[in-house]
Structures are given as C-alpha cells and as structure tokens.
Amino acid sequence: VQLVESGGGLVQAGGSLGLSCAASGSIYRIDTNGWYRQAPGKQRELVAAITRDGSPNYTDSVKGRFTISRDNAKNTVYLQMSSLKPEDTAVYYCNAAAIATISTGTYRGLEVWGQGTLVTVSS
C-alpha cells in the first residue's frame, strides 16, 4: 500500500491551499486517515484525522481553518487549509491505518506514510 500526496506549494498568509493523498496497492480497507506536519526543528505533530465513517478531529491550532475529508471509494483523503499563517509552514505528511490484502482471505494491518509535501506560507 502506498500513499501519494499532492497539492503543496507556496501561499501568502491568509490564503488557502488544498492537499490530497491517494492510496494505491492491495487495499482491503483504510480505517483512520491523518494529516501530520513537521516544521523545521520541530517534532512531527498530528494536524487532523478522520475515521472511516467521516468523523474528524483537529489539533487546536487549526480548528476552524482546516477541513479534513475523505472519499472511501477513491481511497483518497483531503485537507483543505484556509486562513493560512506563517506558522503553518511545514512538510505535511499523509498517514493511513490500512488493511492490506496479502492473499485470498488473508489480510494484514499496517500503518502507511506518504512522502510528504511542503507547504510554505509567506508573511
């Protein structure tokens, strides 16, 4: 199972940007999806997560500004970011708790990470 992110880039403070993350491979099911970020010199932190039934959860610093969503049919998760601030600058990583099909009737649970996409917010 692989995750491929897209949508990062440079945006001015107050602007908006959308990220997407598509999963591919021998996917049986994706349970929870999450978006994490890591700023220079800081630890990776959870930004938002969403369960398979669409229940979202956000870190306090992005509540009201970011929206996480998913399309289970496309195995894709999205992060819409608005009112961006310079402190949102970071590499954003997609994460998935997935069930992979190993063979007929055999499955394995695994945690998968995307390669990361850089979001830069200029002041």
Side-chain angles (χ1 to χ4, degrees):
V1 178
Q2 293 182 323
L3 301 178
V4 178
E5 299 142 349
S6 60
L10 174 64
V11 63
Q12 288 188 332
S16 299
L17 202 61
L19 306 180
S20 63
C21 172
S24 63
S26 300
I27 302 166
Y28 175 72
R29 188 180 72 234
I30 294 177
D31 291 331
T32 301
N33 273 123
W35 284 98
Y36 290 71
R37 66 186 179 188
Q38 188 166 18
K42 295 187 177 181
Q43 289 189 333
R44 190 174 297 188
E45 64 169 348
L46 176 64
V47 175
I50 187 167
T51 61
R52 182 168 179 79
D53 64 2
S55 297
N57 188 34
Y58 301 94
T59 192
D60 287 345
S61 62
V62 307
K63 284 181 180 178
R65 301 189 297 122
F66 290 13
T67 301
I68 188 171
S69 61
R70 63 189 285 172
D71 184 332
N72 291 334
K74 295 181 179 180
N75 288 322
T76 300
V77 62
Y78 307 93
L79 185 68
Q80 182 62 40
M81 305 179 290
S82 60
S83 301
L84 283 160
K85 305 174 181 180
E87 51 263 44
D88 294 318
T89 295
V91 177
Y92 284 71
Y93 296 91
C94 175
N95 172 273
I99 308 294
T101 300
I102 305 303
S103 62
T104 303
T106 302
Y107 308 95
R108 179 190 301 167
L110 44 81
E111 183 179 28
V112 190
W113 289 90
Q115 80 283 3
T117 185
L118 177 62
V119 173
T120 303
V121 184
S122 63
S123 58

